[in-house]
Amino acid sequence: MTFSRLLSGLAVRLLWLTIAALVALGGAGIVTTINHVPGTPARAELTWTGDAEITPALDAATEELQGLADRVDAISQTARAALTQMVAGDTSTLQDTINAATTALAAVADQSASLAAALAAVPYTGADSALHV
């Protein structure tokens, strides 16, 4: 066997391997473009009914969550004010600030419980959510 024949056989094998790899990649590309997973924008019609049922509840929960975030931000402002008053030695104002923060914390706890109850009432999110999602 000569060197040129060996080189020719190796070139043919390499050519067939390249062709097989290209066919495999092409098939994978076709499968990827055909296979639209439910829940993606490519197949929105599969989840439209559930999305229509769940959207109002989630929008309401989003608004309530924004209100809760605003209250928490207000509490952080109150905490900074209390720290400033403590450093300044202003005990009378500090006590009023602490009382206001305690009331605000109670409101946050109540709103948090309300939000949890609202999210629990969202369709398809209960104990059997795996059956629906």
Side-chain angles (χ1 to χ4, degrees):
M1 197 175 208
T2 65
F3 182 71
S4 63
R5 261 188 97 128
L6 183 64
L7 191 58
S8 172
L10 184 62
V12 168
R13 288 186 186 118
L14 186 60
L15 180 65
W16 277 110
L17 183 63
T18 303
I19 290 172
L22 289 175
V23 168
L25 290 174
I30 290 171
V31 168
T32 300
T33 57
I34 291 174
N35 184 23
H36 298 294
V37 180
T40 63
R43 296 297 305 265
E45 74 276 3
L46 296 176
T47 61
W48 181 85
T49 304
D51 292 345
E53 288 181 46
I54 208 169
T55 297
L58 289 179
D59 289 344
T62 300
E63 289 177 20
E64 193 165 345
L65 185 60
Q66 184 59 49
L68 186 62
D70 293 341
R71 284 187 182 214
V72 170
D73 288 342
I75 289 173
S76 70
Q77 295 286 340
T78 305
R80 286 187 195 104
L83 183 61
T84 303
Q85 293 161 357
M86 188 175 74
V87 169
D90 187 3
T91 56
S92 62
T93 310
L94 177 61
Q95 187 59 44
D96 293 339
T97 304
I98 290 173
N99 291 338
T102 303
T103 304
L105 281 173
V108 165
D110 291 343
Q111 191 172 3
S112 177
S114 172
L115 178 61
L119 287 175
V122 172
Y124 309 118
T125 59
D128 63 344
S129 64
L131 297 173
H132 302 288
V133 178

